[in-house]
Amino acid sequence: MLNTSPNTISLSALPPLALYIHFPWCEKKCPYCDFNSHQIKDASAVLAGGFDETRYIKALITDLETELANTWGRQVHSIFIGGGTPSLLSAKGMDELLSAVRARISLEPNAEITMEANPGSVEAEKFAGFAKAGINRVSLGIQSFQDAQLKALGRIHNGAEAKRAVEIATKHFKSVNLDLMYGLPNQSLEAAKLDTETALSFKTPHLSFYNLTLEPNTYFANFPPKLPCEDEVDAIFEQNLALLTQAGYRRYEVSAYARKDQECKHNLNYWRFGDYIGIGAGAHGKISYPGKITRQVRERHPETYMSAIESKGNALIELKEIAAKDLPFEFMLNALRLTDGVATNTFSERTGLPLSVISKALSEASKKGLLDENPSKLKATELGLRYLNNLQEVFLD
């Protein structure tokens, strides 16, 4: 039955389901990073782990088991292991973790299984072990290939190590993504071009380009470096876009570029307002039911997270139902990041609400030239992508 009430949620089918696993440790906390990552205190112990791998993996498995009742019978389409620096895990630990995951969930055959990695923690033998454990996609946090820029960003690797990491990754994994930043401290147009051309020389199927921003509660927010002005950043972006387009990459999301059929399936699920189980310290999850959509948050600090799992069987600090009035903004916040947008009927399929609840906002966004007027698509115009925050804010009401 068609739901015509703007205040009740009624999903005719549940969306695709993914699994996110958070690994919270890093060798060094980067000055721009606002993710839930914690520097290993004993740097000399990094090679030996520097953290209790066995204890954390056990906590992750228990955490996953608490979610099975909420997702029973649903198949998981992708896994993303993010951080932090998941590549600090041992190959044996990764194999143990993924084996436990497969034993507890129904995982789609040939599912995309991504691991984030930093060039400073890349070892050929370990990467071979990760591939054997089931990782088939790696996302490398390159940020830049130039020593001066990497030093300014507080990265632990240099340009040569970044290039070596890409070469090792492409030998061991079916798909490789390179994360790069632009608008870096004192970055020139020519320096940005060199980074892009270096990234393109490896011919990886996927590239991500993020504009460096000063996030609250980071070192850079308190001690801001000199960044290029807005016009300079725009020029770097336009240059990147031209170089990537010429090389055969398509911009399919605000910061993501891919060759044909090489988009990140896991991230597409987020942007299309799919569901995801989130396990690990500070992990967020989103789970839909026929009559409601919920969000969850876990304990952020690794020690607090593990202690909570061990003492009470879960580490939830927040479990809430998303109010019907908040769903339009949450949906559009994600969907409008996609350059192709989404089919209009996806709104009702994923929120359980009638399209009429956003008809006024759709009209307003179209009049401003921010939203494509094609009635079969919810899609930002080029102007809308450029001023995405303004477009998304239209749906706050």
Side-chain angles (χ1 to χ4, degrees):
M1 182 178 177
L2 182 65
N3 176 26
T4 57
S5 169
N7 299 311
T8 60
I9 297 168
S10 179
L11 294 173
S12 56
L14 299 180
L17 179 67
L19 170 63
Y20 175 76
I21 303 172
H22 191 74
F23 181 86
W25 288 285
C26 281
E27 293 181 56
K28 180 185 177 185
K29 181 79 172 178
C30 295
Y32 56 83
C33 178
D34 68 336
F35 293 129
N36 183 37
S37 60
H38 302 262
Q39 185 167 320
I40 296 171
K41 292 181 179 178
D42 183 4
S44 65
V46 169
L47 293 179
F51 52 90
D52 194 334
E53 176 175 287
T54 300
R55 185 184 176 206
Y56 192 68
I57 290 173
K58 185 177 180 181
L60 287 173
I61 295 168
T62 302
D63 198 359
L64 177 61
E65 288 173 345
T66 67
E67 288 299 316
L68 298 181
N70 299 320
T71 56
W72 194 253
R74 297 176 66 181
Q75 191 172 54
V76 170
H77 296 266
S78 64
I79 299 174
F80 195 103
I81 307 168
T85 308
S87 50
L88 290 174
L89 276 168
S90 68
K92 180 183 176 185
M94 183 66 74
D95 184 57
E96 180 185 343
L97 173 61
L98 290 179
S99 294
V101 167
R102 290 189 193 94
R104 287 162 176 79
I105 63 172
S106 172
L107 186 62
E108 184 181 272
N110 303 314
E112 177 189 270
I113 305 178
T114 302
M115 176 191 72
E116 290 185 333
N118 279 344
S121 62
V122 170
E123 303 164 25
E125 186 177 347
K126 187 189 268 194
F127 265 33
F130 287 150
K132 189 175 180 181
I135 301 294
N136 53 32
R137 184 177 185 274
V138 162
S139 181
L140 284 173
I142 300 294
Q143 314 317 351
S144 175
F145 288 98
Q146 298 169 61
D147 291 350
Q149 299 287 8
L150 290 167
K151 185 177 180 181
L153 289 172
R155 302 293 286 172
I156 63 170
H157 66 276
N158 58 35
E161 288 170 329
K163 293 173 185 176
R164 177 177 172 273
V166 182
E167 290 168 355
I168 292 173
T170 53
K171 287 180 182 177
H172 289 96
F173 299 101
K174 178 182 176 183
S175 184
V176 175
N177 167 62
L178 306 183
D179 269 350
L180 290 108
M181 285 184 167
Y182 66 95
L184 307 181
N186 299 306
Q187 187 180 42
S188 67
L189 195 62
E190 190 58 36
K193 183 179 182 183
L194 180 59
D195 266 346
T196 305
E197 289 177 337
T198 304
L200 289 171
S201 71
F202 291 103
K203 295 182 169 58
T204 60
H206 195 285
L207 294 168
S208 299
F209 279 86
Y210 299 97
N211 181 15
L212 175 61
T213 53
L214 305 183
E215 300 293 346
N217 303 314
T218 63
Y219 180 86
F220 272 1
N222 295 320
F223 304 96
K226 186 180 186 307
L227 300 180
C229 69
E230 187 175 344
D231 286 346
E232 290 171 323
V233 170
D234 286 346
I236 292 172
F237 168 77
E238 293 298 339
Q239 176 180 257
N240 279 347
L241 183 59
L243 289 168
L244 289 159
T245 301
Q246 186 178 2
Y249 292 81
R250 188 178 76 91
R251 186 190 188 202
Y252 70 97
E253 188 268 343
V254 170
S255 303
Y257 302 77
R259 295 188 183 277
K260 183 175 172 57
D261 300 324
Q262 295 295 318
E263 296 86 355
C264 177
K265 294 177 183 177
H266 189 88
N267 286 343
L268 279 174
N269 187 55
Y270 287 144
W271 296 320
R272 291 169 176 163
F273 213 53
D275 279 356
Y276 49 97
I277 302 167
I279 62 172
H284 290 233
K286 170 185 171 282
I287 304 295
S288 299
Y289 303 84
K292 65 179 181 179
I293 300 173
T294 64
R295 286 201 182 277
Q296 308 167 334
V297 184
R298 264 84 173 155
E299 291 278 5
R300 285 180 58 84
H301 195 278
E303 178 58 41
T304 310
Y305 167 79
M306 290 186 288
S307 296
I309 293 283
E310 292 160 354
S311 63
K312 61 179 184 178
N314 75 74
L316 287 178
I317 57 172
E318 185 176 312
L319 172 59
K320 68 175 184 179
E321 181 176 341
I322 306 174
K325 67 180 179 61
D326 296 328
L327 280 169
F329 176 68
E330 289 217 15
F331 177 87
M332 300 303 273
L333 188 68
N334 289 280
L336 291 174
R337 292 181 63 90
L338 294 168
T339 58
D340 287 342
V342 296
T344 302
N345 60 6
T346 308
F347 176 81
S348 295
E349 289 175 357
R350 298 292 160 88
T351 65
L353 297 171
L355 188 66
S356 58
V357 301
I358 58 169
S359 57
K360 182 180 177 182
L362 292 175
S363 177
E364 181 184 342
S366 294
K367 287 177 182 176
K368 290 180 176 179
L370 302 174
L371 194 71
D372 195 298
E373 294 184 357
N374 182 349
S376 67
K377 282 270 190 181
L378 298 175
K379 174 186 174 182
T381 60
E382 285 190 24
L383 184 67
L385 284 172
R386 186 179 179 86
Y387 298 101
L388 186 60
N389 289 344
N390 301 75
L391 171 56
Q392 291 163 334
E393 285 171 3
V394 174
F395 297 89
L396 265 173
D397 295 330

